[in-house]
């Protein structure tokens, strides 16, 4: 990580994201339009998050981004990645901004070290 404030990631399509040092999304902009109406903070994170959910008799979940994520953040001007483990499931999340269009993609990899589980990802 560099500095103490949000890191700005930008694409040639003029899409930009500000990511807080804890991995939460602060702001998403395309040219002069703010895409997310609610700005994320270091304390609360914000509504733009990914949640890993285990389904079964009892539903359990964890945020993959922000202050409540069990992952470690790698963040600099070149990219953003969160990696960690939750309930026997290792995860890696990275953000990719599209070059030719104002779009972004979350890449999520999961590795289950425990018994079979029904999982889903919620944005």
């Amino acid at each position: 990580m560099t500095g103490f404030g949000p890191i700005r990631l930008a694409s040639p399509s003029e899409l930009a994201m500000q990511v807080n040092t804890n991995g939460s999304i602060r702001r998403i902009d395309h040219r002069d339009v703010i895409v997310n109406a609610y700005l994320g903070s270091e304390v609360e994170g914000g509504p733009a998050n990914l949640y890993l959910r285990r389904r079964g008799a009892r539903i359990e979940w964890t945020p993959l981004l922000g202050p409540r994520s069990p992952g470690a953040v790698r963040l600099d001007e070149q990219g953003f990645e969160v990696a960690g483990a939750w309930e026997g499931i290792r995860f890696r999340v990275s953000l990719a901004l599209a070059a030719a269009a104002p779009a972004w993609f979350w890449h999520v990899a999961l590795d289950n070290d425990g018994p079979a589980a029904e999982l889903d990802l919620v944005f």
Side-chain angles (χ1 to χ4, degrees):
M1 270 183 264
T2 61
F4 293 102
I7 297 291
R8 184 175 186 272
L9 305 173
S11 73
S13 68
E14 299 182 66
L15 178 71
M17 284 196 179
Q18 291 180 7
V19 181
N20 293 316
T21 57
N22 65 8
S24 61
I25 303 299
R26 177 176 174 3
R27 184 176 171 140
I28 305 169
D29 296 286
H30 181 248
R31 297 184 182 137
D32 61 349
V33 175
I34 299 174
V35 176
N36 59 327
Y38 181 82
L39 302 183
S41 72
E42 290 284 345
V43 176
E44 291 183 324
N49 206 328
L50 296 173
Y51 295 89
L52 181 60
R53 187 168 64 170
R54 181 191 318 259
R55 302 185 61 182
R58 186 175 144 223
I59 294 176
E60 302 172 290
W61 58 272
T62 190
L64 298 181
L65 308 173
R68 292 176 185 84
S69 169
V73 177
R74 184 197 59 77
L75 173 65
D76 58 33
E77 288 80 5
Q78 274 63 59
F80 166 53
E81 179 180 89
V82 178
W86 172 71
E87 302 288 324
I89 299 165
R90 290 192 313 269
F91 65 88
R92 183 171 307 277
V93 177
S94 61
L95 173 67
L97 301 181
W104 66 93
F105 304 93
W106 291 107
H107 295 259
V108 180
L110 303 174
D111 186 21
N112 185 3
D113 290 335
E118 184 179 344
L119 304 169
D120 58 18
L121 193 64
V122 179
F123 177 69

